[in-house]
Amino acid sequence: MSDEVVLLDFNLSMFGIRVRIALAEKGIKYEHKEEDLVNTKSALLLQMNPIHKKIPVLIHNDPYQRAQARFWADFVDKKVHEVAKKIWTGKVGEHEKDKEELIVNLKQLEEVLGDKPYFGGDTFGFLDVAFIPFHKWFYSYETVGELKVDCPKLNAWAKRCLQRESVSKYLSDEKEVYEFVLSYRKKIGVD
């Protein structure tokens, strides 16, 4: 599939129509795979868009890998950072759903990582850079949120990342992060 472009789509979808128009305007040939959105979504759709499970999905090898990294980096920003921020800036005991969501989101990232050394496989890449700064905040999430982040694959990944000079040189100290969180909570009046 190195040169092949595949569009997972539904003929009546306005969003899919946008993609088909753009591909036609650019003169890009593609294989169209119609999705049954009413009954059963294809395994390919669920693999290519595991979070939203929606169409359209445009598949092309090299850009696909970059798009996946950008997608998961955005996931980290919206589904880890934003959810965790509600926990560490909120009153203790008031964010049970957020705590559950944070753990689910971290487990999803752990699934994406799988048994690979880095999110990009054997090489440290875009998603690793986007996510590693959050690891030193886990202690604060756990302590303030009264939760346990039990993600052994993410912990092993973080240890590998910390062996890189670029990471160890710039990554925050978890105690400094925690002191900042306590100071900030006091300032906004939740403690």
Side-chain angles (χ1 to χ4, degrees):
M1 191 185 336
S2 60
D3 292 285
E4 186 177 328
V5 175
V6 177
L7 175 62
L8 306 181
D9 192 11
F10 174 65
N11 272 332
L12 302 177
S13 167
M14 312 63 107
F15 305 105
I17 291 168
R18 286 178 181 169
V19 174
R20 284 180 263 147
I21 291 170
L23 290 170
E25 285 291 320
K26 296 214 170 260
I28 297 173
K29 295 187 186 314
Y30 62 95
E31 178 185 351
H32 182 262
K33 291 192 177 190
E34 185 74 9
E35 286 292 325
D36 181 351
L37 301 180
V38 176
N39 297 307
T40 305
K41 295 177 181 180
S42 74
L44 183 59
L45 172 62
L46 299 176
Q47 176 191 355
M48 296 294 129
N49 194 351
I51 301 301
H52 303 295
K53 301 172 177 72
K54 294 181 180 181
I55 52 96
V57 174
L58 192 61
I59 304 168
H60 188 263
N61 274 349
D62 203 33
Y64 169 74
Q65 291 164 345
R66 289 194 309 264
Q68 283 292 301
R70 286 190 303 272
F71 171 85
W72 287 107
D74 185 60
F75 180 89
V76 166
D77 292 350
K78 292 179 179 161
K79 298 292 190 172
V80 174
H81 172 67
E82 291 298 325
V83 174
K85 186 175 180 182
K86 290 178 191 176
I87 296 167
W88 67 264
T89 62
K91 292 187 178 184
V92 173
E94 290 187 358
H95 295 285
E96 291 308 310
K97 286 185 179 180
D98 294 322
K99 292 191 301 190
E100 290 171 17
E101 183 181 352
L102 178 63
I103 297 300
V104 166
N105 295 340
L106 291 172
K107 291 290 186 185
Q108 284 182 304
L109 284 164
E110 198 167 52
E111 285 179 32
V112 171
L113 176 63
D115 294 324
K116 302 179 301 245
Y118 300 104
F119 282 97
D122 290 331
T123 57
F124 183 79
F126 184 79
L127 181 52
D128 301 296
V129 171
F131 187 37
I132 192 59
F134 291 89
H135 189 265
K136 290 297 184 166
W137 285 72
F138 284 11
Y139 175 79
S140 294
Y141 303 162
E142 289 179 320
T143 306
V144 173
E146 298 177 345
L147 64 105
K148 178 68 180 146
V149 176
D150 184 25
C151 297
K153 289 183 179 183
L154 289 181
N155 288 333
W157 161 82
K159 285 180 184 175
R160 278 188 295 281
C161 291
L162 282 165
Q163 292 173 357
R164 303 181 70 81
E165 183 181 351
S166 61
V167 174
S168 62
K169 181 177 179 178
Y170 295 108
L171 209 58
S172 307
D173 177 75
E174 68 183 17
K175 301 285 189 232
E176 285 181 43
V177 171
Y178 183 62
E179 288 171 12
F180 165 78
V181 166
L182 292 180
S183 169
Y184 186 81
R185 291 176 59 76
K186 186 175 183 177
K187 180 180 178 183
I188 63 172
V190 292
D191 280 343

